[in-house]
Amino acid sequence: MQNKQEILEKLTGIQSSRKSYYTELTYLVEEMKKKNRQLAVINQLTQLSINASWPETSIYIASQLTQILPFARFVLTLTKGGHLSSYLASQEDGQWQCHTHTSVVPEFVEQPTHPLKGFLKDMLEAMFPDYHALSVPLHSQRNQAFGYLTLLQKAEQSADSDSQDAELFSLIASHVGVSVENILLFQDVSEKIKIEAQLVQSAKMAAIGEMAAGIAHELNSPLTAILGNSQLLLREMKATPTAPLMNDIYQCGVRCKKIIQNLLTFSRQEEYVFSTISIDEVVEDALGLIGYQLSVSGLTVTKHLTQPPLQFHGSRHQIEQIVINLLLNARDALAGRENPCIELRSFLLEDEAHAYVGLSVYDNGEGITGEQLPQIFQPFYSTKERTKGTGLGLSVSLGIAEAHGGKLMVESEENEYSQFTLLLPLLREEARNGEKTDTDRG
Ligand SMILES: Nc1ncnc2c1ncn2[C@@H]1O[C@H](COP(=O)(O)OP(=O)(O)OP(=O)(O)O)[C@@H](O)[C@H]1O
Ligand SMILES: [Mg+2]
């Protein structure tokens, strides 16, 4: 019997009388289960998703930790460039939520070892007065602290957790640190790749702009000859059978001229005279030029212009070009639609800081898909047939609007409508009077 007891003790490591034997065994089994759970959680924590957002990452860590450590809120904090970004995860009605809190690091905490730990503790305990903050640093491969994990515990929870929990939390931080550093590196690399691609794209655009300007200048003189001569010949030909052919040549010449004009404006190689103009005048001018073209296409054009007219300082020719581009786009979008109509509306838009002269061009045409919308202002983006669109209209218009200190915006619903809104800084009565006296004096 004595022998059997000794063998059992050796096998199980439990030294006890038969009475307490089962209690101790259960305890040991529970401990082992607990350790297994901890290992499983640590394993899960090393598998942070590399492209998750920081709030998602914080919630993921919190939801794993809650299986092995007692706490009410969890905070993932990252330090970067003098700022602390804290992602506070907590459970509300069984659902994890995350709030972001950013703060500037005061200079006095710049000390060598875990400089921010105390600052972070004070900050979190001030935000959550009934909680006790337990923070551990996240270390990079080069042994620099780049962030912290913090458990916010209520008084009874912090009494429950022992030194073993604190040790476990530190161990977890060393594993999580590696994964979090990987995410940071991944973000850095992605950002670099994105910037590089943007640089390549803008270098390409600059090259295209310069080339286009050169070609446009070269083409301008022969085109003037083509246009002038074809107009002279047209006048002589009158009703001869070949007159339509000559008219074609003339129309194509006009189209080329328009493209060249756009290219020159696009590459900012043309100078324009700025003067005080009202948006209504520009609308009238644009309609004078293409209004007939629009009405023969069967479109109803309505205008709602403000009284008195709103004025701004700018290039009449360039703003007219914007309005014409918008009207022609509306016309194209209305091809084959029922009850096609275009509405032009001028208005005043004021807030505390700015005052704008606004012009909106609405059409009930085909609209723009969500996929196309972000691209329509890009140069050479066109959904039209090759012979119809160059894709420069909107990018040129946006460039002009911005050069005037204004904006060009769009709103659209596929198959319903499109509305483009041009905003230009309003020239106030006082400023205009000031301008007058200045020139009078001059
Ligand atoms: N009112 C509109 N309704 C629907 N789509 C529009 C409208 N205006 C612009 N778009 C879309 O935006 C694209 C780009 O317009 P943009 O004026 O820059 O070029 P384009 O009209 O195709 O060619 P271009 O104006 O140089 O002759 C158009 O091809 C069209 O798909
Ligand atoms: Mg266009």
Side-chain angles (χ1 to χ4, degrees):
M1 190 63 194
Q2 183 66 26
N3 221 351
K4 197 172 166 190
Q5 179 71 26
E6 269 174 30
I7 293 168
L8 259 177
E9 277 178 15
K10 276 185 186 147
L11 275 175
T12 61
I14 299 168
Q15 298 167 359
S16 59
S17 67
R18 178 184 280 207
K19 208 172 167 195
S20 60
Y21 175 78
Y22 287 107
T23 336
E24 262 192 64
L25 187 61
T26 324
Y27 173 76
L28 255 193
V29 168
E30 278 311 313
E31 275 296 295
M32 268 157 74
K33 275 191 189 161
K34 193 169 140 190
K35 287 270 184 288
N36 271 344
R37 245 191 342 263
Q38 290 172 355
L39 279 175
V41 166
I42 291 174
N43 186 36
Q44 287 295 322
L45 284 174
T46 54
Q47 293 168 21
L48 295 180
S49 165
I50 205 144
N51 49 10
S53 67
W54 289 120
E56 282 165 359
T57 306
S58 180
I59 287 178
Y60 179 79
I61 300 175
S63 64
Q64 293 298 328
L65 286 185
T66 190
Q67 300 172 40
I68 51 172
L69 287 169
F71 64 93
R73 288 165 190 273
F74 166 78
V75 191
L76 166 68
T77 303
L78 297 169
T79 61
K80 207 174 184 185
H83 282 87
L84 278 187
S85 301
S86 297
Y87 304 92
L88 298 110
S90 60
Q91 249 176 329
E92 274 163 44
D93 302 328
Q95 288 282 330
W96 281 102
Q97 314 239 340
C98 186
H99 302 282
T100 307
H101 178 85
T102 318
S103 55
V104 180
V105 179
E107 273 172 24
F108 66 85
V109 291
E110 295 289 342
Q111 296 154 10
T113 50
H114 303 320
L116 297 171
K117 202 168 164 182
F119 171 72
L120 185 66
K121 184 178 169 70
D122 293 348
M123 184 185 88
L124 289 171
E125 288 183 349
M127 282 167 73
F128 303 100
D130 302 336
Y131 293 80
H132 168 80
L134 173 66
S135 290
V136 284
L138 293 174
H139 280 119
S140 69
Q141 308 278 348
R142 280 182 280 161
N143 211 22
Q144 279 171 335
F146 62 90
Y148 294 87
L149 302 184
T150 308
L151 299 180
L152 286 167
Q153 298 173 317
K154 286 199 164 153
E156 63 272 14
Q157 284 174 324
S158 72
D160 269 359
S161 69
D162 48 27
S163 64
Q164 269 187 8
D165 282 349
E167 253 172 56
L168 175 66
F169 194 35
S170 288
L171 176 73
I172 285 170
S174 64
H175 286 275
V176 171
V178 177
S179 307
V180 171
E181 197 185 11
N182 280 343
I183 300 180
L184 285 168
L185 290 174
F186 176 74
Q187 286 178 349
D188 267 6
V189 173
S190 317
E191 188 60 19
K192 278 211 180 101
I193 290 175
K194 220 160 78 191
I195 291 172
E196 239 169 65
Q198 274 170 359
L199 275 178
V200 169
Q201 179 67 10
S202 54
K204 259 199 231 161
M205 287 315 306
I208 289 176
E210 224 158 272
M211 237 165 55
I215 295 171
H217 274 301
E218 289 288 320
L219 288 180
N220 229 352
S221 348
L223 246 190
T224 315
I226 293 175
L227 281 173
N229 290 346
S230 57
Q231 235 174 344
L232 280 178
L233 286 173
L234 253 181
R235 240 179 265 160
E236 278 178 22
M237 287 169 144
K238 290 210 173 105
T240 56
T242 45
L245 298 180
M246 186 51 69
N247 191 38
D248 259 4
I249 294 180
Y250 177 71
Q251 291 303 337
C252 289
V254 170
R255 185 171 148 69
C256 293
K257 184 106 188 150
K258 184 188 131 197
I259 296 174
I260 286 173
Q261 198 82 58
N262 273 341
L263 282 175
L264 283 174
T265 315
F266 177 64
S267 53
R268 313 262 189 284
Q269 299 257 338
E270 271 203 335
E271 299 244 328
Y272 286 96
V273 187
F274 271 49
S275 60
T276 300
I277 5 167
S278 80
I279 193 76
D280 304 7
E281 282 173 68
V282 180
V283 169
E284 297 294 356
D285 281 356
L287 286 177
L289 280 174
I290 58 160
Y292 176 73
Q293 219 188 91
L294 298 178
S295 60
V296 293
S297 314
L299 314 179
T300 320
V301 182
T302 43
K303 313 173 276 192
H304 306 274
L305 302 178
T306 43
Q307 278 309 326
L310 300 166
Q311 297 199 294
F312 62 93
H313 191 63
S315 152
R316 186 187 193 114
H317 178 81
Q318 283 188 307
I319 304 299
E320 196 182 293
Q321 203 179 341
I322 299 184
V323 179
I324 291 177
N325 278 336
L326 297 181
L327 287 171
L328 291 179
N329 280 348
R331 179 203 59 188
D332 293 345
L334 286 165
R337 310 278 303 183
E338 261 177 48
N339 295 327
C341 69
I342 299 180
E343 269 176 43
L344 289 146
R345 192 178 293 273
S346 67
F347 58 91
L348 174 68
L349 184 78
E350 264 183 310
D351 61 23
E352 276 158 23
H354 306 95
Y356 288 109
V357 176
L359 176 73
S360 61
V361 180
Y362 167 94
D363 69 72
N364 58 350
E366 61 185 9
I368 304 164
T369 64
E371 211 176 280
Q372 291 165 356
L373 208 59
Q375 307 186 63
I376 59 169
F377 288 103
Q378 280 177 17
F380 304 108
Y381 176 82
S382 178
T383 55
K384 295 171 193 172
E385 294 164 36
R386 218 167 240 257
T387 50
K388 266 189 133 187
T390 60
L392 281 173
L394 285 179
S395 67
V396 167
S397 302
L398 179 66
I400 297 174
E402 286 177 349
H404 279 72
K407 300 175 189 179
L408 183 62
M409 300 169 304
V410 60
E411 227 180 90
S412 180
E413 207 169 300
E414 199 183 343
N415 278 323
E416 293 287 331
Y417 76 95
S418 298
Q419 174 163 297
F420 285 81
T421 304
L422 170 68
L423 295 180
L424 297 166
L426 174 77
L427 192 64
R428 292 186 186 279
E429 192 73 36
E430 315 87 75
R432 258 192 343 261
N433 291 339
E435 203 180 60
K436 239 185 228 154
T437 29
D438 278 353
T439 39
D440 286 351
R441 255 183 244 132

